C-alpha cells in the first residue's frame, strides 16, 4: 500500500511540475532557468511536509531542501531530454521510498 500511495504522489507531482509547470516556463525561457524555477516551486510545496511530518529543522532541513532541489533538477533534466515522464516518476518514487524506509529504520 505504501508503494501505491507513493507512486500516485510521484505521478501526480511529476505531471504537475514537469508536464505542466516546466513546459509553461520552458515556453517562455530556456530550459535550464525553467528547470531551476520549477525546482524552487517544487521545494516550496514540500516545506510544510518537511516541518510537520518529518519535523526537520536547522541543518536537517537545509540538507533535505538541497537534496530535494537537486533531485528536482535531475527530474527536470530527465524530462527535458526524454520528453517522457517515466524517468522523473521513477526518480521521484525511489526518493520517496528511500525517505520513508529511512524513517522506518531509525
Amino acid at each position: 500500500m505504501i508503494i501505491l500511495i507513493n507512486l500516485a504522489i510521484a505521478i501526480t507531482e511529476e505531471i504537475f511540475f514537469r508536464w505542466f509547470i516546466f513546459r509553461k516556463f520552458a515556453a517562455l525561457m530556456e530550459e535550464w532557468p525553467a528547470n531551476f524555477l520549477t525546482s524552487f516551486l517544487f521545494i516550496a510545496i514540500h516545506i510544510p511536509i518537511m516541518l510537520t511530518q518529518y519535523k526537520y529543522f536547522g541543518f536537517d532541513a537545509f540538507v533535505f531542501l538541497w537534496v530535494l532541489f537537486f533531485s528536482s533538477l535531475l527530474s527536470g533534466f530527465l524530462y527535458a531530454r526524454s520528453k517522457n515522464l517515466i524517468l522523473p516518476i521513477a526518480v521521484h518514487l525511489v526518493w520517496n521510498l528511500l525517505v520513508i524506509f529511512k524513517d522506518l529504520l531509525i
Side-chain angles (χ1 to χ4, degrees):
M1 189 57 132
I2 290 174
I3 293 173
L4 290 177
I5 291 169
N6 280 281
L7 179 59
I9 291 168
I11 290 170
T12 303
E13 288 186 356
E14 292 305 322
I15 287 172
F16 182 71
F17 283 98
R18 303 312 150 211
W19 188 78
F20 183 71
I21 292 181
F22 173 77
R23 284 180 9 155
K24 295 292 182 188
F25 282 153
L28 300 172
M29 61 188 77
E30 297 289 326
E31 285 182 347
W32 69 266
N35 192 16
F36 201 77
L37 289 173
T38 302
S39 295
F40 269 114
L41 291 175
F42 187 77
I43 65 170
I45 67 145
H46 287 83
I47 290 173
I49 295 166
M50 176 193 71
L51 296 173
T52 59
Q53 182 179 347
Y54 298 131
K55 298 187 181 359
Y56 291 158
F57 301 98
F59 185 72
D60 291 338
F62 176 80
V63 170
F64 178 83
L65 292 175
W66 271 108
V67 171
L68 191 64
F69 180 72
F70 284 110
S71 70
S72 180
L73 285 175
L74 173 63
S75 290
F77 174 79
L78 293 172
Y79 177 72
R81 295 298 163 254
S82 69
K83 301 298 185 223
N84 190 316
L85 286 172
I86 298 298
L87 287 173
I89 289 169
V91 167
H92 195 138
L93 178 61
V94 168
W95 165 256
N96 285 358
L97 294 176
L98 287 173
V99 169
I100 288 168
F101 290 124
K102 176 203 69 84
D103 288 343
L104 291 175
L105 294 174
I106 294 177

